[in-house]
Amino acid sequence: QVQLVESGGGLVQAGGSLRLSCAASGRSFSINFTGWYRQSPGKQRELVASITSTNFTHYTDSVKGRFTISRDNAKNTVYLQMNSLKPEDTAVYYCNIITTFGLSTWGQGTQVTVSS
C-alpha cells in the first residue's frame, strides 16, 4: 500500500507563487504516473499537470507557462511549482499516483486560495 502526504497549499495574492509537494511512502513500489488535479466548488476535478516515469510532462492549457511539475525520485516526491497565480487557480489540489502495478492512490488534498 502507498500513502501520500501533500503539503504546500495556502493563501497567496494574485501574481504570487506556491510550491506543492506530494510525498509517497510504502513498501516496494515504483511510480509510473503522477498527476496533480484540482477541484473547486461546483466544478469537476480536472487534471492540471502530470509527469510520467520517463519525465514526460503534460499541462492543461490554463496553466501552461505558469506551473511546472517535477519529481525527485530519491525522495519519492513530486512537486508542483505554481507561479503567477490567479484567483481562478483557487481550488483544492490533489495528488494522484499510479504505480507500475497499476495501483492508484490519492492524497488528502491541499487548499490553494488566491486572492485578487
Side-chain angles (χ1 to χ4, degrees):
Q1 187 148 357
V2 179
Q3 294 82 39
L4 299 180
V5 177
E6 301 169 10
S7 60
L11 173 64
V12 65
Q13 288 188 331
S17 298
L18 286 173
R19 188 177 79 156
L20 305 183
S21 299
C22 175
S25 62
R27 297 179 62 181
S28 303
F29 68 97
S30 294
I31 300 173
N32 189 40
F33 170 92
T34 302
W36 280 102
Y37 295 74
R38 67 185 178 189
Q39 188 168 22
S40 51
K43 294 187 177 181
Q44 288 189 331
R45 189 172 297 189
E46 66 167 340
L47 178 61
V48 175
S50 62
I51 186 167
T52 69
S53 59
T54 56
N55 288 325
F56 177 80
T57 58
H58 174 79
Y59 300 92
T60 193
D61 286 345
S62 62
V63 308
K64 284 180 181 177
R66 300 188 298 122
F67 290 12
T68 302
I69 190 170
S70 62
R71 54 190 287 168
D72 184 335
N73 291 331
K75 296 181 178 179
N76 276 333
T77 300
V78 175
Y79 305 97
L80 185 67
Q81 178 67 43
M82 306 186 294
N83 298 328
S84 302
L85 283 161
K86 304 175 181 181
E88 50 264 42
D89 295 318
T90 295
V92 178
Y93 284 70
Y94 298 90
C95 175
N96 172 257
I97 68 162
I98 301 175
T99 70
T100 52
F101 291 106
L103 176 66
S104 175
T105 302
W106 289 89
Q108 80 281 4
T110 184
Q111 177 70 48
V112 171
T113 303
V114 184
S115 63
S116 57

